[in-house]
Amino acid sequence: DAGVTQSPTHLIKTRGQHVTLRCSPISGHKSVSWYQQVLGQGPQFIFQYYEKEERGRGNFPDRFSARQFPNYSSELNVNALLLGDSALYLCASRRPNDEKLFFGSGTQLSVL
Amino acid sequence: RKEVEQDPGPFNVPEGATVAFNCTYSNSASQSFFWYRQDCRKEPKLLMSVYSSGNEDGRFTAQLNRASQYISLLIRDSKLSDSATYLCVVNKDTGFQKLVFGTGTRLLVSP
């Protein structure tokens, strides 16, 4: 079975642009979470979606938004990019009633 | 104060050594606890869950002290392949999973 897949793997943008990151969870997983990991830090929670509804949001500005589709895939959108948005963006999925999170290999975003 | 605090290291140990990592968390209402492993430029992977009674998985032993809000990971007989960053993780809410990660402790095992 395929693991969590994310696209693209790498992305370079300039300040002020917007970006859309994509995630496909493991088959059968209905919950998707997004995390931001800045170099030298642990991942920080951005959003969780379950059954296409937002179930949790971390301490990120409104420039960050996400959605989940009927097939449980998800998109993370970031508007008006700042230099500080440069990070590894990780998507994770899990089965219902299971605490184990499976992470994708991430999208490395560089904002110049 | 950070919600989850870890010594960033690095811990440099020879093969075969025993090494212990510690972690403290600030929210006494935290519900569940984990150790994740992250290799350089890779995604985090669950190493083990942590229970109050303590749990062991091969060379790895995890302990939780709820009274002190303290979590530990012990690695015995270190292997070169154990070199990685070990992330202490706390889940504050059973309703949904908002995992709070520490900054990680880097381990380097040398021959």
Side-chain angles (χ1 to χ4, degrees), chain A residues 73-87:
Chain A
S73 67
S74 178
E75 284 182 353
L76 175 70
N77 294 284
V78 188
N79 293 324
L81 285 167
L82 303 174
L83 295 179
D85 294 332
S86 296

Side-chain angles (χ1 to χ4, degrees), chain A residues 33 35 37 40-43 45 48 55-58 88 90 94 98-101 103-105, chain B residues 2 32 34 36 38 41-46 87 91 95-104:
Chain A
S33 299
Y35 287 81
Q37 187 172 24
Q41 301 293 318
F45 173 77
Q48 189 205 26
R55 296 300 182 96
R57 184 185 182 113
L88 179 67
L90 294 160
R94 67 183 181 100
D98 186 347
E99 290 187 309
K100 185 174 181 179
L101 273 186
F103 283 88
S105 53
Chain B
K2 289 183 179 177
S32 48
F34 311 91
Y36 275 72
Q38 187 171 27
R41 300 184 186 277
K42 300 279 190 179
E43 71 275 19
K45 292 184 179 178
L46 179 65
L87 298 159
N91 185 21
F96 70 93
Q97 204 167 43
K98 178 190 172 182
L99 298 187
V100 181
F101 285 76
T103 56

